[in-house]
Amino acid sequence: MALGGRRAARCGSALRLGRPALRRPYVAAGGEEEEENEEEEQRQLLELCRRRRFLRGGAEPRPWRSYLSGCHPGFGPLGAALRGNLEAQWWHSALARREQVFAVDSPLHGSHNAGAPQARDALRLLSSETLRQVVQEPAGPALEEALGSAGTLRETLLPGVLAQYVSCLEFANKRLPCGLAEVGVCFHSIPDSELHNKNLRRIGERTTSLLAWFSSPRTSGQWLDYWLCQRLQWWRKFAVGPSNFSSSDFQDEEGRRGFNLHYNFPWGKETIETLKNLGDTELLEMYPGDRSKLLGRDGRKNVIPHVLSVSGNLDRGVLAYLFDSLQLAENPLTKKKNSQRKVLKLHPCLAPIKVALDVGKGPTTELRQVCQGLFNELSENRISVWPGYLETMQISMEQLYTKYDEMSVLFMVLITDATLENGVVQLRSRDTTMKEMMHISRLKDFLTKYVTSAKN
């Protein structure tokens, strides 16, 4: 396989999707007035995400920084579904080379003697009863003993993945390159600069994706360039504004090369994924002693592989796509300034809900029966459906369109008395706002083909 070179050079070009664009917020700021407008749009997006249950607000409103740091009440139903879709797309991309990449699962916490040595500042698991006994005892060995025997919360997926390297190498017939993939929750200490109470240490969490790629030392640099290209293209694939995703290179203290992938939020760039050539250091630390079990086949040679770590923060990825998808349009319900209609144009593969079913004029009972049958049919075909026909509060069609646009629903289907007479439904598109009539028997195939084509 030809790696690096021309393939890596192409990574800098944005992949532009042919979707109609409305006015984009967060354009380059200039002057105090534009900065105030930018902050107001950030506040409005945050309020929208809470109102439409992408994010949970908690007892008191949290700023965007809390969601970025992983110290927040969590995602709401639509946010959890969006993250689930992003994770599903990640798995599809990671397992595309199915004969060489294997999914693994590692524990959230480990015992004090499992795997590689633990750092003194690791996040420890202590029961409240143990902590109470330690506090009541005189200061001294009791605390050290309790900390030494305590398990630790994982701060990265890498140790758990590397612990399964030898068994998976046998599974791959010791052939290089190969990879191990995992998605899971990791924990971290919140930096002092983001703490409201400096005397109270807070712990944040994030949903992390990891691809550990094992290759021969002679090709590890080329593979790093290859995965940089693949990952940057992957993030850009689902974006309305692909150029907001970018990369930068770095070297650690030991001279090991890597790349950070960023999203350009209104306040600046934030890292969403890190690629790094770890060499064989972590692998040798995980398996001290007999090195022969680490050897993989590179052609006719047996070598200890270098490890390439591709670690992403899917929670930050969700936030990036929420900002990326926000577009503004004229609001037909009001002429007030700064009251544009907000549309979340999430990529069809990521949108939490593909279609909403609602009823119009006609006998309510019969129309709801049609909706229920259509709901079951679409759900059985893994098309996510919002049961709008169960709503009891009467609102106008424009208000309904606004609601679904803010929820990023791809299509709204209106069932009316015409459906009972001739099987015709009204289909309204989020992206074009156009309405068309379609026979109900064609709906499932149309939606399936639409989502499938978006994946390609």
Side-chain angles (χ1 to χ4, degrees):
M1 174 183 291
L3 305 176
R6 288 172 294 178
R7 181 192 296 271
R10 290 198 297 269
C11 294
S13 59
L15 303 180
R16 303 200 176 274
L17 302 176
R19 291 185 285 168
L22 306 180
R23 189 176 80 78
R24 292 283 294 152
Y26 316 127
V27 294
E32 293 184 4
E33 183 177 351
E34 295 225 18
E35 289 182 9
E36 290 178 2
N37 290 340
E38 198 171 79
E39 291 177 0
E40 175 62 19
E41 287 174 343
Q42 292 178 40
R43 186 196 63 78
Q44 290 183 14
L45 176 60
L46 187 58
E47 193 275 331
L48 183 155
C49 290
R50 290 172 180 153
R51 184 174 69 253
R52 298 308 179 194
R53 304 300 187 267
F54 284 93
L55 304 175
R56 290 181 59 197
E60 59 183 59
R62 299 290 184 92
W64 281 112
R65 178 57 56 183
S66 295
Y67 292 95
L68 282 168
S69 66
C71 187
H72 58 86
F75 290 99
L78 292 190
L82 170 56
R83 185 178 61 189
N85 291 343
L86 186 62
E87 179 181 336
Q89 292 300 315
W90 184 89
W91 276 114
H92 178 74
S93 68
L95 298 181
R97 303 175 60 85
R98 294 183 185 275
E99 75 280 5
Q100 298 180 87
V101 181
F102 307 100
V104 296
D105 186 32
S106 56
L108 276 169
H109 55 82
S111 60
H112 69 286
N113 59 353
Q118 295 176 0
R120 290 181 59 85
D121 59 351
L123 300 175
R124 307 281 175 167
L125 284 170
L126 283 176
S127 68
S128 58
E129 180 62 28
T130 301
L131 187 60
R132 190 178 301 111
Q133 293 175 0
V134 168
V135 172
Q136 292 173 352
E137 292 283 336
L143 178 58
E144 291 296 327
E145 181 181 350
L147 291 176
S149 60
T152 59
L153 289 172
R154 67 182 182 193
E155 299 180 60
T156 171
L157 297 175
L158 186 62
V161 168
L162 293 183
Q164 302 187 56
Y165 165 72
V166 171
S167 60
C168 289
L169 183 65
E170 294 287 346
F171 194 47
N173 199 25
K174 295 196 172 185
R175 184 180 55 165
L176 298 176
C178 62
L180 300 178
E182 183 177 6
V183 173
V185 175
C186 293
F187 302 87
H188 59 277
S189 296
I190 303 298
D192 292 338
S193 60
E194 298 179 19
L195 292 174
H196 299 293
N197 185 345
K198 302 297 182 182
N199 297 319
L200 180 64
R201 175 67 65 180
R202 299 292 301 274
I203 294 178
E205 62 180 66
R206 64 190 182 278
T207 303
T208 303
S209 60
L210 176 69
L211 172 64
W213 186 254
F214 306 93
S215 69
S216 70
R218 68 180 179 84
T219 61
S220 61
Q222 293 172 307
W223 278 114
L224 182 62
D225 291 334
Y226 170 83
W227 284 116
L228 168 65
C229 180
Q230 293 295 310
R231 296 308 302 151
L232 190 56
Q233 287 183 343
W234 184 83
W235 285 104
R236 288 173 168 176
K237 171 183 177 181
F238 305 109
V240 176
S243 60
N244 282 322
F245 291 91
S246 60
S247 65
S248 63
D249 61 337
F250 67 87
Q251 279 192 339
D252 65 11
E253 299 82 359
E254 301 175 23
R256 298 183 295 188
R257 180 168 162 252
F259 295 93
N260 285 322
L261 302 186
H262 314 278
Y263 180 75
N264 189 24
F265 288 91
W267 54 83
K269 292 182 178 180
E270 301 283 354
T271 300
I272 55 174
E273 193 164 43
T274 298
L275 298 83
K276 190 174 182 180
N277 187 346
L278 301 174
D280 58 10
T281 304
E282 279 77 2
L283 202 57
L284 293 174
E285 288 179 353
M286 180 64 68
Y287 298 94
D290 185 10
R291 296 188 175 190
S292 62
K293 59 185 178 182
L294 302 179
L295 295 174
R297 290 190 296 108
D298 175 34
R300 296 182 178 181
K301 294 182 178 180
N302 291 325
V303 297
I304 295 178
H306 279 195
V307 183
L308 272 63
S309 168
V310 183
S311 179
N313 186 331
L314 296 185
D315 291 342
R316 281 194 179 182
V318 167
L319 300 180
Y321 284 121
L322 286 173
F323 272 93
D324 172 78
S325 66
L326 178 63
Q327 298 193 358
L328 306 178
E330 293 299 323
N331 190 341
L333 299 178
T334 179
K335 299 297 183 181
K336 292 181 180 179
K337 187 179 180 181
N338 297 327
S339 59
Q340 296 100 330
R341 183 168 59 88
K342 301 171 186 67
V343 184
L344 288 185
K345 283 200 168 186
L346 289 167
H347 190 278
C349 293
L350 302 183
I353 300 170
K354 312 306 183 193
V355 60
L357 301 180
D358 280 87
V359 295
K361 294 181 179 179
T364 303
T365 302
E366 288 84 345
L367 294 180
R368 285 190 174 182
Q369 288 176 347
V370 174
C371 287
Q372 186 64 60
L374 190 56
F375 179 95
N376 294 337
E377 180 185 18
L378 296 177
S379 298
E380 288 171 0
N381 286 270
R382 298 187 177 183
I383 298 173
S384 52
V385 186
W386 179 263
Y389 56 90
L390 297 179
E391 295 283 353
T392 56
M393 184 181 299
Q394 294 292 325
I395 61 175
S396 70
M397 293 304 297
E398 286 297 337
Q399 290 174 317
L400 204 56
Y401 297 153
T402 298
K403 172 185 174 179
Y404 290 148
D405 286 345
E406 291 181 353
M407 293 170 62
S408 197
V409 178
L410 298 179
F411 295 98
M412 172 186 161
V413 174
L414 190 65
I415 309 295
T416 65
D417 50 5
T419 310
L420 301 178
E421 294 174 6
N422 52 31
V424 172
V425 301
Q426 184 188 89
L427 187 71
R428 189 251 184 190
S429 167
R430 175 202 70 184
D431 292 346
T432 66
T433 71
M434 299 293 291
K435 307 178 190 70
E436 63 176 295
M437 308 307 290
M438 179 180 295
H439 196 274
I440 194 170
S441 62
R442 292 181 51 216
L443 196 57
K444 175 179 68 71
D445 290 340
F446 169 79
L447 294 171
T448 301
K449 289 178 182 178
Y450 184 89
V451 175
T452 301
S453 63
K455 293 180 180 179
N456 301 324

